[in-house]
Structures are given as C-alpha cells and as structure tokens.
Amino acid sequence: MAETMTFPGRTHMSRSHFSPSVYSLLLGLHLAMLLLSAVTYACPKSCLCTERNGLVVVQCASRNLEDIPSDLPPDTVSLLLSSNHITKIPNQAFKELPRLQELDLSRNAIETVDAGAFQGISDSLRVLDLSHNRLHGVPKEAFARLHAKIGLANNPWHCECTLQEVLRELRLDPETVNEVSCHTSVQEEYSGKPVIQVLDSGINFCNFHHKTTDVAMFVTMFGWFTMVIAYVIYYVRHNQEDARRHLEYLKSLPSSSQISKDFDTISTVL
C-alpha cells in the first residue's frame, strides 16, 4: 500500500506520486512553515499569550518586570504590562508591534518617557494607559501623532508650559481626566488642583514661563550693570589716588622762584 501524506489545505496524496527528492523538498518546506509559525508566535516566558481572531493578546501584568519585554509576538494587538516595576519607556520600545491597539502601562514606577517611545505605533494604537506612575512631565514629541485615548491620572505632574502644550494635543480618557492633577506648579496656588480645571479657568502656564524668563534676564542684566558700575568707580578712584600722589610729588619739588632766590643769595655772598 502506498504511503500517503496530508498537507494543510490539500487532500491525501500518495507518496508514490512524488520522486524522493520532491518528497523531501515538500517535507522540508512543511517543517519550515511549522518552525516559522512557532517562532512568529513565541511568547515571552514571563507572560501569557492568547489569540483573538488570529491576533495576539499578551498578558504580562503583575510579573515583577523591570523592563518592557523585547521578544513580543509581532501580531500583538493588546499588551498588558500593568502592576510591574517598569521605570522607563525607551525610544522605539514598540516598533516591532505595528498592529498594537491597546497598551496598558498603569501602576508601574515610570518616571521617564523618551521622545521616541511610541514611534511605530502612532497610527495603530487606540488605548494607552499611563495612570498611577511617577511622571512629572513628558517631552512634547513623545505623544506626537498619537490618536489614542490616553489615561494620565494619578501621576505627580508638575504644571508648567510644556505640560500644558502636551495636554492640548491629547485625547484624554474622559473618565479619569479630572484625576490628572498638579502635584507641583510654577504657581504654588494651583498645586493639588485638576490640570483641566486650572486651564479651563483661563490660566496660561506659558505666560508664567515667559515672565519667569523675563525676570531672570532682568536680574542677569542688572548684575552685569552693577559689575560695570563697580569697575568704573574702582577705576576712577584708583586714578584719583594716582593723580593725588603725583600732585603731592610735584608740590614737594622746589619751585623755580625759590631756586632763583637761592641763586641770588649765593651770588651776593660771593
């Protein structure tokens, strides 16, 4: 009886229909496809991966992670990294995940978000959660071109011009927007208040920034002016002292009339 083989999408075929070389080639291709599939859907050992309509959900919450895993499946649509010990989102951390739609980084210890942290996923990302971290501020470039709904609640934000410009461009999660508060501020009276509430009241942190810059420039210029004046006063006084000494020296010299009288006296004696 002829040995048969089964390939995906094909009917049973008799081995006798193939020459040994063709059979070996097909078998090798089949094994390569299986290996490629295994590599493509490899899951980080500290995470749990499941499929959703052929795409991958990666569950890495509460795994004591200190860094974002680098060996994530490229078909990942949902990456859940909440409740870990991640402190930084580096540049291009998710560039190998072009289909990523949901990214949960809440309840970590994130203090720094690099300017290019979300490069490569700006078009696909729909939900980004950065709540309950240690963010004081973020560069304007970090969220550039992001269209996702973003959660930034319960971070120790420092309210100043850059944060104001960042928030103007974002689509904040409406359910937690009032929990985005000023932990500190360029104007102390706004500390502890929701950022949106402060901005809606007409406060412009960029005006405070410009005023602070103007005051700093004024103080600097006043300092230089004071130094110049002090130098001029020192120079004048020093020259006055030299002039006084020179005048006293000249006064100490015998006058020409005294010399003439002394000469006449000598002549008379002789």
Side-chain angles (χ1 to χ4, degrees):
M1 180 180 294
E3 184 179 347
T4 60
M5 290 182 58
T6 303
F7 292 94
R10 296 178 178 270
T11 57
H12 293 284
M13 296 184 181
S14 172
R15 181 175 178 178
S16 61
H17 293 172
F18 302 103
S19 65
S21 59
V22 174
Y23 173 78
S24 298
L25 177 61
L26 291 175
L27 181 60
L29 289 173
H30 182 61
L31 292 175
M33 291 175 64
L34 292 175
L35 289 175
L36 181 60
S37 176
V39 171
T40 300
Y41 293 103
C43 187
K45 62 180 181 180
S46 57
C47 304
L48 174 65
C49 298
T50 58
E51 285 196 13
R52 179 196 298 170
N53 298 325
L55 299 175
V56 182
V57 175
V58 182
Q59 171 61 263
C60 303
S62 303
R63 303 302 172 96
N64 294 318
L65 299 176
E66 296 182 356
D67 298 296
I68 297 169
S70 58
D71 53 344
L72 294 164
D75 287 338
T76 300
V77 293
S78 180
L79 177 56
L80 309 177
L81 289 163
S82 62
S83 302
N84 283 292
H85 306 296
I86 299 169
T87 59
K88 179 180 180 179
I89 307 177
N91 285 320
Q92 299 183 340
F94 312 101
K95 66 177 182 178
E96 304 297 336
L97 308 176
R99 300 185 182 183
L100 189 62
Q101 298 179 16
E102 179 185 8
L103 177 57
D104 186 356
L105 287 159
S106 63
R107 301 184 184 280
N108 276 277
I110 299 171
E111 297 178 343
T112 305
V113 177
D114 285 348
F118 304 109
Q119 286 182 359
I121 60 172
S122 57
D123 293 330
S124 63
L125 197 63
R126 295 293 175 265
V127 178
L128 171 61
D129 193 350
L130 287 168
S131 61
H132 296 275
N133 278 287
R134 300 177 184 175
L135 292 169
H136 296 275
V138 289
K140 291 187 290 186
E141 299 81 7
F143 297 126
R145 296 172 53 195
L146 276 182
H147 306 294
K149 180 176 66 174
I150 302 177
L152 297 175
N154 296 294
N155 280 279
W157 295 108
H158 176 63
C159 291
E160 41 77 46
C161 184
T162 301
L163 181 62
Q164 174 180 308
E165 293 179 345
V166 168
L167 295 181
R168 281 178 175 173
E169 305 298 325
L170 299 184
R171 186 164 68 92
L172 295 176
D173 180 4
E175 296 182 3
T176 61
V177 66
N178 289 324
E179 298 175 27
V180 183
S181 300
C182 300
H183 182 70
T184 57
S185 173
V186 290
Q187 291 293 103
E188 191 61 32
E189 62 263 34
Y190 302 118
S191 298
K193 295 183 178 180
V195 181
I196 299 303
Q197 178 182 321
V198 173
L199 296 179
D200 287 346
S201 68
I203 299 301
N204 188 337
F205 290 117
C206 294
N207 285 343
F208 297 131
H209 174 75
H210 295 320
K211 288 179 181 179
T212 302
T213 303
D214 292 342
V215 170
M217 291 180 63
F218 175 78
V219 171
T220 302
M221 292 177 65
F222 180 78
W224 279 106
F225 181 74
T226 302
M227 291 177 62
V228 170
I229 295 299
Y231 176 76
V232 170
I233 293 174
Y234 168 79
Y235 179 80
V236 170
R237 287 183 176 178
H238 183 73
N239 284 350
Q240 282 180 340
E241 183 66 21
D242 288 345
R244 185 183 63 79
R245 290 175 181 174
H246 186 64
L247 183 60
E248 289 178 353
Y249 171 75
L250 292 177
K251 287 182 178 180
S252 67
L253 295 175
S255 64
S256 57
S257 59
Q258 182 65 36
I259 294 173
S260 178
K261 287 180 181 180
D262 292 344
F263 182 76
D264 290 342
T265 301
I266 294 172
S267 298
T268 301
V269 173
L270 293 174

